[in-house]
Amino acid sequence: YLLRMRPYRTVDNVIDGVVLTFVNITERQRAEVERGRLAAMVDSSREMIIGHTLEGTITSSHASAERILGYRAGRVLGKSLSLLVPAGDAGMTRKLLQACEQRQPTELEMEWLRLDGSPVEVAVTCSPVVDVDGHAIAGSLIARDVSERVRSDEELKRQAVSLANAMTELTGANAELSRRQAELEQAMTARNRF
């Protein structure tokens, strides 16, 4: 319970006692505990979570964004989402904002920039933040670093091309071997006739 004490004043504005009010704050405490639990879940997430206005101004960020991109939350708050994309690629920022305007989460893969200027491949889920009437009032981005997966995919493609080239060479060599074997068999057959 929350205790509130207020002076009791007479008509002549003289304090003549005290009014005690007890307010049950059990629900508020539960809500605070739940909010703390949810905040801990967000803070422990490996994915970057970035909140922004519909115009693209960053309004919130958390520890994983700092770990992956190098930007401290205070450094990006109030800045444009264009800070995260390669210079001159306004189309990518527009894609993010358009995706967040849709009524359902949208997934995109793109390249963002770390504080040191190095690129990082990210898979981004853009979601609108809606008010009680269902109108988009802001956006949220949940992004995870997929650089390793992209590198693995590129390596697999490179190996597939290399394997295809080797198979082509082997097929050609096998055809040549078959041709020479046929010639040898013909020569052996001709020699055995004499």
Side-chain angles (χ1 to χ4, degrees), residues 92 95-96 99 106-110 122-126:
M92 206 177 293
K95 260 188 194 177
L96 289 171
T106 304
E107 294 187 23
L108 303 167
E109 282 203 15
M110 55 184 49
V122 292
V124 184
T125 301
C126 306

Side-chain angles (χ1 to χ4, degrees), residues 15-85:
I15 296 177
D16 191 32
V18 67
V19 176
L20 301 175
T21 309
F22 293 93
V23 179
N24 186 346
I25 59 169
T26 305
E27 285 304 311
R28 186 169 86 187
Q29 286 176 326
R30 281 189 193 133
E32 287 174 2
V33 167
E34 180 64 12
R35 185 178 27 232
R37 189 179 68 75
L38 292 172
M41 287 171 49
V42 167
D43 286 342
S44 64
S45 173
R46 291 176 31 151
E47 284 80 19
M48 296 178 271
I49 302 172
I50 298 171
H52 62 87
T53 66
L54 293 177
E55 294 76 32
T57 302
I58 298 171
T59 57
S60 62
S61 181
H62 84 305
S64 285
E66 181 179 342
R67 180 179 53 77
I68 295 170
L69 297 176
Y71 292 103
R72 289 188 161 209
R75 185 170 181 160
V76 295
L77 295 182
K79 302 279 195 305
S80 171
L81 287 172
S82 61
L83 174 74
L84 305 176
V85 300

Side-chain angles (χ1 to χ4, degrees), residues 14 19 32 46-47 64 75 91 94 101-102 108 131 135 140 148 160 165 177 179 189:
V14 174
V19 176
E32 287 174 2
R46 291 176 31 151
E47 284 80 19
S64 285
R75 185 170 181 160
R94 232 181 346 271
E101 288 174 1
Q102 297 178 6
L108 303 167
D131 62 13
H135 298 104
S140 71
E148 190 59 40
N165 290 341
L177 186 59
R179 186 185 61 75
T189 302

